[in-house]
Amino acid sequence: MSSHSADRLAEHRRLSDFFELTKPRVMLLAVFTAVVGLISTHDQLDPLRAFIAVLCIAAGAGAAGALNMWYDADIDAVMTRTAMRPIPRSRVSKVEALVFGVVLGTIAVVALALATNLAAAALLACTILFYVVVYTAWLKRATKQNIVIGGAAGALPPVIGWAAATGEIGLEPLTLFLIIFLWTPPHFWALALNRTDDYARASVPMLPVVAGRAATTRQILIYSGLLVLASELPWVLGFAGTIYGAIAAICGALFLLLALQLNRSIGTDRRAPHRLFAFSIPYLFVLFAALLVDHGGGSLSPMRSSLSGYIVGSVHAELLPGAVRSTHSFINLSTGEV
């Protein structure tokens, strides 16, 4: 290999490492829900500003991911699930990750303010700070309710998308916030049940480590019930049609059934939490895709239709296993990456 080719390869790997810092799969899920919030409004952003808004939200989510990896480098190094991340592998230094995250986040917030409005930019800034300071630096290592309270950060993208288009916060994006907020604990705890040793080794007081399996499965069942009720709010409040209501009811019944099976399973059963965790990912996608379709019935401009189609296609390719996607890569797409 020539020196030029070696340099190109090294540069490509370097860029890949920084891209990995942004947690691209988590970023994509955040962007998808933000797009749903943006398109759900009756206000029309011009194509350029809408594109910039989505790009800024993606950059903000990536900045939060990079800063999370910077602060959690010590934890990541001792957990099997995260030991291959760029900082534990010494492919990126902590200083580089910190500077990258701060610069990317600052650019995202400033650009969103210039392209849309101060309300959306302030929400994006608060989301990044909440995720990094409140969840990562404080709650994650201090309380078994870490993922419950910290889940608010992951639930804010649809509110940011709505604010980018309208300049304000309405009831509809708050219902989307509530759905994601209630979805996060059962999704994450189902993963954590099969990763208890990992979290215990890193001294992270995740609920299964501190309270045990029985208490965790009960909490999962409670949050699943609340999630099913919350998922019907867009239909009950008139934000979505009957098709969405029916899809939410069917998916909710399946989610609740898996949570009930998990609650009744024995301690050595690793399949029950795995089934719920695996189902929780397409559950959220289908729910938000149904909202996207529901709001797309002829009312969307060509730009918004193209934007929603692109995002849905991208997330669909990441979320749904196909002939060219393994179950392993499907399961890895999750907020379990946080």
Side-chain angles (χ1 to χ4, degrees), residues 4 159 335:
H4 178 70
V159 185
T335 53

Side-chain angles (χ1 to χ4, degrees), residues 90-106:
S90 299
R91 298 197 304 265
V92 175
S93 72
K94 288 190 65 175
V95 173
E96 289 173 327
L98 174 60
V99 172
F100 174 67
V102 170
V103 171
L104 184 62
T106 301

Side-chain angles (χ1 to χ4, degrees), residues 22-68:
T22 65
K23 298 184 178 180
R25 292 188 176 97
V26 178
M27 182 204 300
L28 186 60
L29 199 59
V31 169
F32 176 58
T33 57
V35 168
V36 174
L38 189 153
I39 291 179
S40 295
T41 71
H42 297 293
D43 295 37
Q44 300 256 347
L45 273 180
D46 65 77
L48 179 59
R49 290 201 301 155
F51 176 77
I52 294 174
V54 172
L55 199 61
C56 289
I57 293 170
L67 292 171
N68 170 267

Side-chain angles (χ1 to χ4, degrees), residues 196-248:
T196 303
D197 293 341
D198 238 7
Y199 288 113
R201 186 165 54 251
S203 299
V204 178
M206 205 59 66
L207 187 63
V209 177
V210 176
R213 181 187 174 96
T216 302
T217 58
R218 282 196 301 270
Q219 289 295 308
I220 286 175
L221 185 58
I222 291 170
Y223 275 95
S224 297
L226 294 173
L227 171 62
V228 171
L229 294 176
S231 69
E232 292 293 346
L233 283 177
W235 173 67
V236 171
L237 297 175
F239 299 145
T242 305
I243 293 177
Y244 167 82
I247 291 174

Side-chain angles (χ1 to χ4, degrees), residues 112 118-128 156 159-164 168-169:
L112 187 60
L118 289 177
L123 277 171
L124 181 60
C126 289
T127 301
I128 297 171
L156 278 170
V159 185
I160 300 172
W162 179 282
E168 58 187 26
I169 299 174

Side-chain angles (χ1 to χ4, degrees), residues 163-211:
T166 66
E168 58 187 26
I169 299 174
L171 182 59
E172 182 168 356
L174 291 179
T175 64
L176 304 185
F177 170 91
L178 184 62
I179 289 171
I180 302 173
F181 181 78
L182 294 172
W183 168 85
T184 303
H187 163 76
F188 198 96
W189 285 334
L191 169 69
L193 280 168
N194 285 340
R195 302 281 186 174
T196 303
D197 293 341
D198 238 7
Y199 288 113
R201 186 165 54 251
S203 299
V204 178
M206 205 59 66
L207 187 63
V209 177
V210 176

